[in-house]
Amino acid sequence: MNSRSVLVVCLLCIGITIGCASTAPPRPVEPVDLVQATTEVAEDQLLDVSIGVFDPGLPEEDEELPDGVQPEVRKAEARYMAHRLEETMQETGHWGAVRVVPPDAARGDVQVSARILASSGRDLNLYVSASDATGRVWFENRYKGRADPAAYQPETIGRTQPFQNVYNRVANDLVRALGKLDPEERIEIRRVAQLDYAADLAPMAFEDYLEVDRKGRKSIARLPAKGDPMMARVEEIREREYFFVDVLNQHYANFSQQMADPYDNWRMYSYEEQV
């Protein structure tokens, strides 16, 4: 075989290899099962969760944007992803009220915050932290996920989340951290959150009900008397604030629903480009 024939054969082999690589279907993503409650959780054991709108992870004004990062898309994703995590946590049945709130308003029994490190149609990279009202840090973890290609098929797009595995892993880690608390610790977290709110609202009356150690951990110094009228008024104000937060949370849900279709299509085209 002469040199020209060898070259032709090599080029044909390369063409066949490239063709096979470009037409081979993407490898499916192994699903992560969500850890759900198997029995009903007692009312006094349910902790409320505040999820702050995610930090979009945009650089400072004097820094350049990384390639492919669009600020307005990232800001929209920060709200959308927080809502997706909220829905995922609600499905577990392990929690009380789960709400999305502005980042600086994340307070309550348990607070969850996250920063978007990378986001495209193919990859999602989050940094997530969780803590409770006593100041105990539950975890600070980094989560990486590759999109499930099945979510971008014409018959499933919009009905399946390409990064649901990432949200499931975060929700499962929160459930595991919750499972490490005994019943008395859960009750204490609820009471500390209640007294902390009261101390912010009426410091003269409630600031000495909590103690703070050198590590910033809060504990109960004493409890208000049963039927304390001041505490009753604080609880009334707290319930009205919850009503406002619930209305705001519904706005985040509506926003996520409105952006779902164009966002799914944007991610699908972004995924196809990267593949």
Coordinates of all heavy atoms in Angstrom, one line a residue, residues 183-227:
P183 N -34.8 14.8 70.2 CA -36.0 15.6 70.4 C -35.8 16.9 71.2 O -36.4 17.9 70.9 CB -37.0 14.7 71.0 CG -36.5 13.3 70.6 CD -35.0 13.4 70.5
E184 N -35.0 16.8 72.3 CA -34.9 18.0 73.1 C -34.1 19.1 72.4 O -34.4 20.3 72.6 CB -34.1 17.6 74.4 CG -34.9 16.7 75.4 CD -35.1 15.3 74.9 OE1 -34.3 14.9 74.1 OE2 -36.0 14.6 75.4
E185 N -33.1 18.7 71.6 CA -32.4 19.7 70.8 C -33.3 20.4 69.8 O -33.1 21.6 69.6 CB -31.2 19.1 70.1 CG -30.1 18.7 71.1 CD -28.9 17.9 70.4 OE1 -29.2 17.0 69.6 OE2 -27.8 18.3 70.6
R186 N -34.2 19.7 69.2 CA -35.1 20.3 68.2 C -36.0 21.3 68.9 O -36.2 22.4 68.4 CB -35.9 19.3 67.5 CG -35.1 18.3 66.7 CD -36.0 17.5 65.8 NE -35.3 16.3 65.2 CZ -35.9 15.6 64.2 NH1 -37.1 15.8 63.8 NH2 -35.2 14.6 63.7
I187 N -36.5 20.9 70.1 CA -37.4 21.9 70.8 C -36.6 23.1 71.3 O -37.1 24.2 71.2 CB -38.0 21.1 72.1 CG1 -38.9 20.0 71.6 CG2 -38.7 22.1 73.0 CD1 -39.4 19.2 72.7
E188 N -35.3 22.9 71.7 CA -34.5 24.0 72.1 C -34.3 25.0 70.9 O -34.3 26.2 71.1 CB -33.1 23.6 72.6 CG -32.3 24.7 73.1 CD -30.9 24.3 73.4 OE1 -30.4 23.2 73.0 OE2 -30.2 25.1 74.2
I189 N -34.0 24.5 69.7 CA -33.8 25.3 68.5 C -35.1 26.2 68.3 O -35.0 27.4 68.0 CB -33.5 24.4 67.3 CG1 -32.1 23.8 67.4 CG2 -33.6 25.3 66.0 CD1 -31.8 22.8 66.3
R190 N -36.2 25.6 68.4 CA -37.5 26.3 68.2 C -37.6 27.4 69.2 O -38.0 28.5 68.9 CB -38.7 25.4 68.3 CG -38.8 24.4 67.0 CD -39.8 23.3 67.3 NE -41.1 23.8 67.7 CZ -42.2 24.0 66.9 NH1 -42.1 23.7 65.6 NH2 -43.3 24.4 67.4
R191 N -37.3 27.1 70.5 CA -37.4 28.1 71.5 C -36.4 29.2 71.4 O -36.7 30.4 71.6 CB -37.3 27.4 72.9 CG -38.5 26.6 73.3 CD -38.3 25.9 74.6 NE -39.5 25.1 75.0 CZ -39.4 24.2 76.0 NH1 -38.3 23.9 76.6 NH2 -40.6 23.6 76.4
V192 N -35.2 28.9 71.0 CA -34.2 29.9 70.8 C -34.6 30.8 69.7 O -34.4 32.1 69.8 CB -32.8 29.3 70.5 CG1 -31.8 30.3 70.0 CG2 -32.3 28.6 71.8
A193 N -35.1 30.3 68.6 CA -35.6 31.1 67.5 C -36.7 32.1 67.9 O -36.7 33.2 67.5 CB -36.0 30.2 66.3
Q194 N -37.6 31.6 68.7 CA -38.7 32.4 69.2 C -38.1 33.5 70.1 O -38.5 34.7 70.0 CB -39.6 31.5 70.0 CG -40.8 32.2 70.6 CD -41.6 31.3 71.5 OE1 -41.1 30.6 72.3 NE2 -43.0 31.4 71.4
L195 N -37.2 33.2 71.1 CA -36.7 34.2 72.0 C -35.8 35.2 71.3 O -35.7 36.3 71.6 CB -36.0 33.5 73.1 CG -36.8 32.7 74.1 CD1 -36.0 31.9 75.1 CD2 -37.8 33.7 74.8
D196 N -35.1 34.7 70.3 CA -34.2 35.6 69.5 C -35.0 36.6 68.7 O -34.6 37.8 68.7 CB -33.4 34.7 68.5 CG -32.2 35.5 67.9 OD1 -31.6 36.3 68.6 OD2 -31.9 35.3 66.7
Y197 N -36.1 36.2 68.2 CA -37.0 37.1 67.5 C -37.6 38.1 68.5 O -37.6 39.3 68.2 CB -38.2 36.4 66.8 CG -39.1 37.2 66.1 CD1 -38.9 37.6 64.8 CD2 -40.3 37.7 66.7 CE1 -39.8 38.4 64.1 CE2 -41.2 38.5 66.0 CZ -40.9 38.9 64.7 OH -41.8 39.7 64.1
A198 N -38.0 37.6 69.7 CA -38.5 38.5 70.7 C -37.5 39.5 71.1 O -37.8 40.7 71.4 CB -39.0 37.7 71.9
A199 N -36.2 39.1 71.3 CA -35.1 40.0 71.7 C -34.9 41.1 70.7 O -34.5 42.2 71.0 CB -33.9 39.2 72.0
D200 N -35.0 40.7 69.4 CA -34.8 41.7 68.3 C -35.9 42.7 68.3 O -35.7 43.9 68.1 CB -34.7 41.1 67.0 CG -33.4 40.4 66.7 OD1 -32.4 40.7 67.4 OD2 -33.3 39.7 65.7
L201 N -37.1 42.3 68.6 CA -38.3 43.1 68.6 C -38.4 44.0 69.9 O -38.7 45.2 69.8 CB -39.6 42.3 68.4 CG -40.8 43.0 68.0 CD1 -40.7 43.5 66.6 CD2 -42.0 42.0 68.1
A202 N -38.1 43.4 71.0 CA -38.2 44.1 72.3 C -37.0 43.8 73.2 O -37.1 43.0 74.1 CB -39.5 43.8 73.0
P203 N -35.8 44.4 72.8 CA -34.6 44.0 73.5 C -34.7 44.3 75.0 O -34.1 43.5 75.8 CB -33.5 44.8 72.9 CG -34.2 45.9 72.1 CD -35.6 45.3 71.8
M204 N -35.3 45.3 75.4 CA -35.4 45.7 76.9 C -36.1 44.6 77.7 O -35.8 44.3 78.8 CB -36.1 47.0 77.1 CG -35.4 48.2 76.5 SD -33.8 48.6 77.4 CE -34.5 49.1 78.9
A205 N -37.0 43.9 77.0 CA -37.8 42.9 77.7 C -37.2 41.5 77.6 O -37.4 40.7 78.6 CB -39.3 42.9 77.2
F206 N -36.5 41.2 76.5 CA -36.1 39.8 76.3 C -34.6 39.6 76.1 O -34.2 38.4 75.9 CB -36.9 39.3 75.1 CG -38.4 39.2 75.3 CD1 -39.2 40.1 74.7 CD2 -38.9 38.2 76.0 CE1 -40.6 40.1 74.9 CE2 -40.3 38.1 76.2 CZ -41.1 39.0 75.6
E207 N -33.8 40.6 76.2 CA -32.4 40.4 75.8 C -31.7 39.5 76.8 O -30.7 38.8 76.4 CB -31.7 41.7 75.7 CG -31.6 42.5 77.0 CD -30.9 43.8 76.9 OE1 -30.4 44.1 75.7 OE2 -30.8 44.5 77.9
D208 N -32.2 39.3 78.0 CA -31.5 38.5 79.0 C -32.1 37.1 79.0 O -31.7 36.3 79.9 CB -31.5 39.1 80.4 CG -32.9 39.3 80.9 OD1 -33.9 39.3 80.1 OD2 -33.1 39.5 82.1
Y209 N -32.9 36.7 78.1 CA -33.5 35.4 78.1 C -32.6 34.4 77.4 O -32.7 33.2 77.5 CB -34.9 35.4 77.4 CG -36.0 35.9 78.2 CD1 -36.0 37.2 78.7 CD2 -37.0 35.0 78.6 CE1 -37.1 37.6 79.5 CE2 -38.1 35.4 79.4 CZ -38.1 36.7 79.9 OH -39.1 37.2 80.6
L210 N -31.6 34.9 76.6 CA -30.6 34.1 75.9 C -29.2 34.4 76.4 O -28.9 35.5 76.7 CB -30.7 34.3 74.4 CG -32.0 33.8 73.7 CD1 -32.0 34.2 72.2 CD2 -32.2 32.3 73.8
E211 N -28.4 33.3 76.3 CA -27.0 33.5 76.6 C -26.2 33.2 75.4 O -26.6 32.3 74.6 CB -26.5 32.6 77.7 CG -27.1 32.9 79.1 CD -26.7 31.9 80.2 OE1 -26.3 30.8 79.8 OE2 -26.9 32.2 81.4
V212 N -25.1 33.9 75.2 CA -24.2 33.6 74.0 C -22.8 33.3 74.5 O -22.2 34.1 75.3 CB -24.2 34.9 73.1 CG1 -23.3 34.5 71.8 CG2 -25.6 35.3 72.7
D213 N -22.3 32.1 74.1 CA -20.9 31.8 74.5 C -19.9 32.4 73.6 O -20.2 33.1 72.7 CB -20.8 30.2 74.6 CG -20.9 29.6 73.2 OD1 -20.8 30.2 72.2 OD2 -21.2 28.3 73.2
R214 N -18.6 32.0 73.9 CA -17.5 32.6 73.1 C -17.5 32.2 71.6 O -17.0 33.0 70.8 CB -16.2 32.2 73.7 CG -15.9 32.7 75.1 CD -14.6 32.2 75.7 NE -14.4 32.6 77.0 CZ -13.3 32.3 77.8 NH1 -12.4 31.5 77.2 NH2 -13.1 32.8 79.0
K215 N -18.1 31.1 71.3 CA -18.2 30.7 69.9 C -19.4 31.2 69.2 O -19.7 30.9 68.0 CB -18.2 29.2 69.9 CG -17.0 28.5 70.4 CD -17.1 27.0 70.3 CE -15.8 26.3 70.7 NZ -15.9 24.8 70.6
G216 N -20.2 32.1 69.9 CA -21.4 32.6 69.3 C -22.6 31.8 69.4 O -23.6 32.1 68.7
R217 N -22.5 30.7 70.1 CA -23.7 29.8 70.2 C -24.6 30.3 71.3 O -24.3 30.7 72.4 CB -23.2 28.4 70.6 CG -22.4 27.6 69.6 CD -23.3 27.0 68.6 NE -24.2 26.0 69.2 CZ -23.8 24.7 69.4 NH1 -22.6 24.3 69.0 NH2 -24.7 23.9 70.0
K218 N -25.9 30.3 70.9 CA -27.0 30.8 71.8 C -27.6 29.6 72.6 O -27.9 28.6 72.0 CB -28.0 31.5 71.0 CG -27.5 32.8 70.3 CD -28.5 33.4 69.4 CE -28.0 34.6 68.6 NZ -29.0 35.3 67.7
S219 N -27.9 29.9 73.8 CA -28.7 28.9 74.6 C -29.7 29.7 75.5 O -29.6 30.9 75.7 CB -27.7 28.1 75.5 OG -27.0 29.0 76.4
I220 N -30.6 29.0 76.0 CA -31.7 29.6 76.8 C -31.2 29.8 78.2 O -30.8 28.9 78.9 CB -33.0 28.7 76.8 CG1 -33.5 28.5 75.3 CG2 -34.1 29.3 77.7 CD1 -34.6 27.5 75.2
A221 N -31.3 31.1 78.7 CA -31.0 31.4 80.1 C -32.2 31.2 81.0 O -32.1 30.7 82.1 CB -30.5 32.8 80.2
R222 N -33.4 31.6 80.5 CA -34.6 31.5 81.2 C -35.8 31.6 80.2 O -35.6 32.1 79.1 CB -34.8 32.5 82.3 CG -34.8 33.9 81.9 CD -34.7 34.8 83.1 NE -34.8 36.2 82.8 CZ -35.9 36.9 82.9 NH1 -37.0 36.4 83.3 NH2 -35.9 38.2 82.6
L223 N -36.9 31.1 80.6 CA -38.1 31.1 79.7 C -39.1 32.1 80.3 O -39.2 32.3 81.5 CB -38.7 29.7 79.6 CG -37.9 28.7 78.9 CD1 -38.5 27.3 79.1 CD2 -37.8 29.0 77.4
P224 N -39.9 32.7 79.4 CA -41.0 33.6 79.9 C -42.0 32.8 80.6 O -42.2 31.6 80.4 CB -41.5 34.3 78.6 CG -41.1 33.3 77.5 CD -39.8 32.7 77.9
A225 N -42.7 33.5 81.5 CA -43.8 32.8 82.2 C -44.9 32.4 81.3 O -45.2 33.0 80.3 CB -44.4 33.8 83.3
K226 N -45.6 31.3 81.6 CA -46.7 30.9 80.8 C -47.8 31.9 80.8 O -48.2 32.4 81.8 CB -47.3 29.6 81.4 CG -48.3 28.9 80.6 CD -48.7 27.5 81.1 CE -49.7 26.9 80.2 NZ -50.2 25.5 80.7
G227 N -48.2 32.3 79.6 CA -49.3 33.3 79.5 C -48.7 34.7 79.5 O -49.5 35.7 79.7

